[in-house]
Amino acid sequence: ERINGSYSGDLLLLKNGINSSADGVERTMTALRQVLKAIANGEFAYRLTDKDIEEDFRNTLNTTMEVMQSAIGEINIVMGEASQGNFDKRVQAQLAGDLDTLKSGVNNAVISIAAAIDETCDVAEQMAEGNVTVRINGTYLGRLNDLKMSLNTSLDRLQSTLTNILDNANGVSTGASEISQGSLQLSERTNEQAASLEETAASMSEMTSTVDA
């Protein structure tokens, strides 16, 4: 609404002042609605360009949009890299309030995932080299902790199985050694008995020769 009546003098000045203020407030509210609509639609590249809007107000809103665009842009880059298996990127933008909380949440999530993957890879490499005594020792939450517990449980079972196999193999080796030793002793006794029989046969032959003579 505007004052439309015909006035003169001070009343005309008052009318124009009020109408001008109303125009300024309307432009400001329209600009604010445009910015909020852009934020709601995720259009953080939006900027106010209307020079009729009060400069400080326009600069404040544009700076806010720049900060949000920078934050969302960096978060998109970090998450995009993470989706490609690269967990080295971090959100570096200087932020405040809820945006800083969001930044910390994203960075901490990436750090936790990177730590879990690094430790899992280290354990897998040592397993490939025959070391089944290694375990994942880091502290993780949620599904990362499930991954840790599953892998450690698998390693426990694998180590137990290998230990049993080695124990059985050692038992078989010991039994084979004992059988071999027993066979050797039996062979020696058989040889001794054969020699004794030969001696007995020789003696009987001599006795037979003597009798015949």
Side-chain angles (χ1 to χ4, degrees):
E1 295 290 336
R2 299 292 184 270
I3 299 174
N4 296 313
S6 179
Y7 302 97
S8 61
D10 289 341
L11 290 178
L12 178 60
L13 292 176
L14 178 61
K15 166 191 170 181
N16 290 338
I18 292 174
N19 285 345
S20 178
S21 296
D23 289 340
V25 170
E26 183 177 7
R27 284 194 298 271
T28 298
M29 295 304 296
T30 298
L32 185 57
R33 282 195 297 270
Q34 291 171 342
V35 169
L36 293 176
K37 181 179 179 181
I39 292 174
N41 292 332
E43 300 170 356
F44 299 102
Y46 179 83
R47 299 292 184 272
L48 290 176
T49 58
D50 188 350
K51 300 299 183 181
D52 291 331
I53 298 174
E54 198 275 324
E55 184 178 8
D56 287 343
F57 180 75
R58 184 177 70 246
N59 289 341
T60 296
L61 288 180
N62 284 342
T63 298
T64 299
M65 295 298 287
E66 288 170 3
V67 170
M68 296 182 70
Q69 183 182 20
S70 175
I72 298 301
E74 280 203 49
I75 289 171
N76 285 336
I77 290 173
V78 170
M79 298 310 294
E81 289 291 321
S83 70
Q84 299 298 316
N86 178 14
F87 299 95
D88 296 330
K89 294 288 186 180
R90 301 290 183 272
V91 180
Q92 304 291 346
Q94 296 298 315
L95 305 173
D98 289 341
L99 287 177
D100 188 58
T101 300
L102 176 61
K103 166 188 171 181
S104 298
V106 170
N107 284 346
N108 289 338
V110 173
I111 289 171
S112 295
I113 293 172
I117 290 177
D118 287 344
E119 193 171 5
T120 301
C121 288
D122 289 341
V123 169
E125 288 173 0
Q126 293 192 58
M127 285 176 60
E129 294 174 358
N131 182 5
V132 295
T133 64
V134 291
R135 298 292 184 274
I136 296 178
N137 297 312
T139 300
Y140 305 106
L141 301 174
R143 297 296 292 171
L144 292 179
N145 187 63
D146 292 342
L147 173 63
K148 166 189 172 180
M149 298 303 295
S150 295
L151 184 55
N152 284 348
T153 298
S154 296
L155 282 166
D156 289 340
R157 292 174 179 172
L158 177 59
Q159 184 178 9
S160 176
T161 299
L162 290 176
T163 298
N164 290 335
I165 291 173
L166 289 174
D167 288 344
N168 290 334
N170 288 335
V172 170
S173 177
T174 299
S177 177
E178 291 176 352
I179 291 172
S180 176
Q181 183 65 30
S183 297
L184 180 61
Q185 292 175 354
L186 177 61
S187 176
E188 290 176 351
R189 287 196 297 270
T190 301
N191 290 335
E192 290 174 357
Q193 290 175 358
S196 178
L197 288 173
E198 288 178 357
E199 291 178 359
T200 301
S203 297
M204 291 181 66
S205 178
E206 290 178 0
M207 290 177 61
T208 300
S209 298
T210 301
V211 170
D212 290 338

